[in-house]
Amino acid sequence: MSDASSNPLATGTTGGRVDATVRWTAPDGTRHSGSIPVDEGMKAGSRVTVWTDPGNQLTTAPPSATQAGVDAAFMGAASSFAVVAAAAGGYYGARVVLNRRRRAAWAHEWEDVGSQWGRAAN
């Protein structure tokens, strides 16, 4: 790892983390390098944990158990809301269509009743 500089204007990073170049050896023995954010002031040669994808490219760390639980709870709540909203939309849509048909049927019945009484219904 190269020394982590503390010039936030040069690196565009603030909050005690700066980008540094790191090197690692993959399980197949190949050597790789890349840039990751590290704590400000780390010295070259310090050990840091890096996460790689199946292609040995740098990636973000997997979520913690807590974060995964929060994400799962949020997605469960969001999908439940979507199902309820779809059901409510279907219910109110069907209600509108059925009420229109019902009013049209009542209007037709009033026309029949009015003609039996000898006048047109209003």
Side-chain angles (χ1 to χ4, degrees), residues 5-14 17-19:
S5 69
S6 60
N7 184 353
L9 296 177
T11 61
T13 308
T14 60
R17 309 253 320 147
V18 295
D19 287 340

Side-chain angles (χ1 to χ4, degrees), residues 13-104:
T13 308
T14 60
R17 309 253 320 147
V18 295
D19 287 340
T21 302
V22 294
R23 292 185 303 275
W24 70 96
T25 303
D28 63 2
T30 58
R31 294 187 157 271
H32 300 275
S33 67
S35 180
I36 63 168
V38 297
D39 293 333
E40 188 176 336
M42 289 187 79
K43 297 294 180 198
S46 299
R47 290 192 175 270
V48 295
T49 301
V50 296
W51 295 92
T52 59
D53 61 15
N56 290 320
Q57 299 299 317
L58 288 172
T59 187
T60 59
S64 66
T66 302
Q67 184 61 44
V70 168
D71 290 348
F74 175 75
M75 292 305 293
S79 61
S80 296
F81 176 76
V83 168
V84 169
Y91 169 78
Y92 285 110
R95 186 174 167 182
V96 166
V97 169
L98 292 174
N99 281 339
R100 284 182 186 166
R101 288 184 181 178
R102 192 175 301 122
R103 281 194 288 275

Side-chain angles (χ1 to χ4, degrees), residues 104-122:
W106 286 349
H108 179 70
E109 287 293 323
W110 275 112
E111 288 174 9
D112 288 348
V113 169
S115 65
Q116 291 174 2
W117 290 344
R119 60 173 200 226
N122 291 334

